[in-house]
Amino acid sequence: MAERIVERADSLDTFSERGRIVPEVGDPTLRELLIDPFRLMYEVDERQVRIVGFIHQRRLFLGHK
C-alpha cells in the first residue's frame, strides 16, 4: 500500500491535474486522487504540487485555507 501511495504521489510531478476537484471545497487548485480506501489531497500552483491531506474516503475534508 505504501508503495502505491508514493507512486501515485510521485506521478503528480508530471500529471498534476489528473485528480478530481475536491467536492467539499470546489476549488480547482485543490484536487484529490482516490487510492482506495484513502483520499490523497493536493494543491496545485504554477510552481509546485503540495500534499495537503491524506484521509479515509468516508471522511469529509475541511482543512483547506
Side-chain angles (χ1 to χ4, degrees):
M1 174 65 102
E3 286 179 27
R4 194 169 89 190
I5 293 165
V6 170
E7 181 179 295
R8 297 284 302 271
D10 283 345
S11 74
L12 295 174
D13 185 40
T14 306
F15 303 107
S16 62
E17 294 189 3
R18 69 186 268 193
R20 71 178 188 172
I21 296 171
V22 175
E24 298 93 321
V25 180
D27 178 350
T29 65
L30 184 66
R31 298 183 167 272
E32 70 181 354
L33 290 176
L34 301 179
I35 307 169
D36 207 23
F38 299 101
R39 301 167 68 188
L40 175 68
M41 271 107 12
Y42 61 97
E43 190 171 43
V44 179
D45 67 28
E46 314 78 51
R47 298 173 293 136
Q48 64 183 348
V49 173
R50 184 175 32 260
I51 305 295
V52 296
F54 187 75
I55 62 173
H56 196 277
Q57 287 183 12
R58 293 185 182 198
R59 302 204 54 161
L60 292 178
F61 179 66
L62 305 173
H64 185 59
K65 298 179 186 181

